[in-house]
Amino acid sequence: MKAAIIGGGPSGLFLSILLKRAQPDASIAVYEQNSADATFGFGVVMADTGLAQLRHADPQVFDALAAAMRFSDQQIIVSREAPITIKRPGSGGAISRIKLLRILGERARDLGVDIRYEQRIENFAQLDADVVVGADGINSRVRDSEADAFDVQRASLSNHFAWYGVAKAFPSPSLVFRKQGEGYFVAHYYPYSESMSTFVAECDHLTWRTLGMETMSADERQAVFERVFAPELGGHNLVSNHSTWRQFPVIRARNWHVGNRVLIGDALSSAHFSIGSGTRIAMEDAIALAKALNASPDDIPCALGRYVDERQPQKQKLIGASEASFNWYENIRGWMDAYEPQEFVLRFMTRTGRVDIGRLREQYPALVMGFEAAGLVPAQAGASS
């Protein structure tokens, strides 16, 4: 089998590893338009459920990633200046994106994968490959080269956001919802190394317009968030690395494959950053596609059909959770005005519809005790018999 993987991000590299490990004689090439040492963004997170999938798929990759990750078993949510600590049932991990790519790249090269950096493919039809995989993210050229055939649907959210870094390792991941003046702001930050954290800055569209942020320079916008979140930053400035302000693009390809071209990760369905599972979803797509291709390397149409049949149900659940989450954030002004801290956290924890009081009680007993004490839920609501 000959596979051409477009995109040298986490999903593309992990797919190449899984294919080459199972099919040593296969020709697996990864084409990445950026240089080997280029990275955009700062740290990425992976929950314990996603890490378990990686461990099963490739224990060697998992061990290398786990050794480089910074783990945390709690999150702090701040609303109306009241911090509420949430103890998680498992430990999620964060890792710098460049470190993640280096680990995956080294593993792929050790297996014999041909990784070609600074290679921008202009004509996918001319590739000598049995299957061409679009692992090239939200701005996928593989997908957009056949947008009608993939039946691509697009929309844009109203909130504005940008990814920054901070030269400070916060004690634990946190979400801060802050109303200041006429603005409604959100900061989501988490440590990913001994000295750095990712800091996602967000505001709603009315704040953007009211404060005149559309006419501000990038430095001025950054300064706004440095002022608003000065108590958390503690004298540190935000660090920019292609930290472009934008509105999240909701992209869905209704057809997962066209001919011998197939999509994974954000190229297929963009996962909103508020659920913290974008990397996990993309890498689990890679696991599912590799399983299908390894089972039928000589029958690509059959393999691609199996990939859709086996992956689509779970993928739809995760993307559905993403949509419920971003719709909740789109109304953040209303939530911040309407609810006191305890009820705000309850609304936040149940926003995707995948977690009810019964599940909260099982996984976050201390948190639910606080809800009970505040009269937000009955003492035995959702308790199993």
Side-chain angles (χ1 to χ4, degrees):
M1 184 185 72
K2 295 181 179 180
I5 300 171
I6 312 302
S11 63
L13 289 173
F14 197 48
L15 174 63
S16 75
I17 290 168
L18 298 179
L19 291 176
K20 193 66 174 176
R21 196 184 68 175
Q23 303 182 58
D25 295 332
S27 173
I28 312 296
V30 176
Y31 298 87
E32 169 54 50
Q33 65 180 354
N34 296 307
S35 62
D37 58 352
T39 185
F40 305 101
F42 296 90
V44 298
V45 296
M46 294 196 71
D48 54 334
T49 50
L51 291 172
Q53 293 273 8
L54 295 188
R55 180 193 287 114
H56 180 75
D58 192 309
Q60 184 170 328
V61 165
F62 168 82
D63 288 343
L65 293 179
M69 280 184 164
R70 187 180 178 95
F71 289 91
S72 175
D73 63 354
Q74 69 178 28
Q75 180 182 35
I76 298 173
I77 299 178
V78 180
S79 172
R80 299 190 182 186
E81 306 309 319
I84 295 177
T85 299
I86 301 170
K87 297 291 291 185
R88 294 171 170 169
S91 295
I95 185 173
S96 73
R97 180 175 170 82
I98 187 63
K99 182 65 174 178
L100 169 62
L101 295 180
R102 284 173 179 165
I103 289 171
L104 294 174
E106 289 172 4
R107 173 69 166 145
R109 283 188 293 271
D110 287 346
L111 290 169
V113 173
D114 179 13
I115 306 178
R116 306 182 187 184
Y117 292 101
E118 299 182 71
Q119 293 285 315
R120 182 179 173 88
I121 305 301
E122 300 294 342
N123 189 335
F124 302 108
Q126 292 183 350
L127 287 170
D128 180 19
D130 300 311
V131 60
V132 176
V133 181
D136 46 348
I138 284 181
N139 298 314
S140 172
R141 294 178 64 249
V142 175
R143 179 197 64 225
D144 291 346
S145 69
E146 296 279 359
D148 289 342
F150 279 115
D151 194 4
V152 180
Q153 310 297 311
R154 302 174 187 271
S156 182
L157 302 183
S158 65
N159 285 5
H160 298 259
F161 71 97
W163 289 70
Y164 294 100
V166 184
K168 171 183 179 179
F170 289 99
S172 63
S174 299
L175 269 165
V176 181
F177 298 87
R178 179 162 293 150
K179 179 180 178 182
Q180 189 172 101
E182 297 182 86
Y184 289 71
F185 305 92
V186 184
H188 178 202
Y189 52 84
Y190 51 87
Y192 64 85
S193 74
E194 294 298 322
S195 60
M196 288 293 298
S197 297
T198 294
F199 188 105
V200 186
E202 184 175 2
C203 66
D204 71 346
H205 186 59
L206 185 54
T207 296
W208 182 266
R209 291 178 57 192
T210 301
L211 299 186
M213 293 182 70
E214 71 275 9
T215 62
M216 290 182 184
S217 68
D219 288 343
E220 288 171 331
R221 293 169 184 164
Q222 179 175 324
V224 168
F225 275 80
E226 288 173 342
R227 288 194 300 270
V228 172
F229 294 101
E232 288 73 28
L233 292 171
H236 291 269
N237 293 324
L238 296 176
V239 179
S240 178
N241 176 11
H242 299 275
S243 301
T244 304
W245 280 92
R246 56 202 186 276
Q247 292 167 297
F248 188 82
V250 180
I251 299 175
R252 305 284 183 262
R254 292 183 177 176
N255 296 325
W256 290 32
H257 59 91
V258 172
N260 73 333
R261 302 180 198 181
V262 60
L263 306 175
I264 62 175
D266 281 342
L268 174 61
S269 303
S270 56
H272 194 254
F273 55 86
S274 63
I275 62 169
S277 297
T279 302
R280 167 202 169 182
I281 293 172
M283 295 181 77
E284 288 180 357
D285 284 355
I287 293 171
L289 180 56
K291 180 180 177 181
L293 288 171
N294 288 333
S296 304
D298 299 322
D299 190 343
I300 299 303
C302 176
L304 299 186
R306 180 180 290 116
Y307 163 57
V308 176
D309 290 343
E310 296 188 3
R311 177 58 176 161
Q312 193 172 51
Q314 180 62 19
K315 174 92 168 187
Q316 288 178 332
K317 290 180 182 179
L318 295 170
I319 293 301
S322 170
E323 292 177 354
S325 184
F326 69 57
N327 284 326
W328 190 89
Y329 271 84
E330 286 287 274
N331 295 294
I332 192 60
R333 178 179 292 254
W335 301 127
M336 290 170 67
D337 282 343
Y339 299 112
E340 296 296 326
Q342 286 276 16
E343 186 166 2
F344 183 89
V345 171
L346 173 60
R347 298 277 180 166
F348 174 82
M349 295 293 289
T350 57
R351 72 193 186 282
T352 67
R354 301 190 72 198
V355 177
D356 58 14
I357 295 301
R359 184 171 172 186
L360 278 179
R361 188 183 302 280
E362 178 183 347
Q363 297 185 344
Y364 305 90
L367 183 65
V368 174
M369 287 179 64
F371 294 156
E372 292 172 353
L376 297 175
V377 297
Q380 296 301 316
S384 59
S385 58

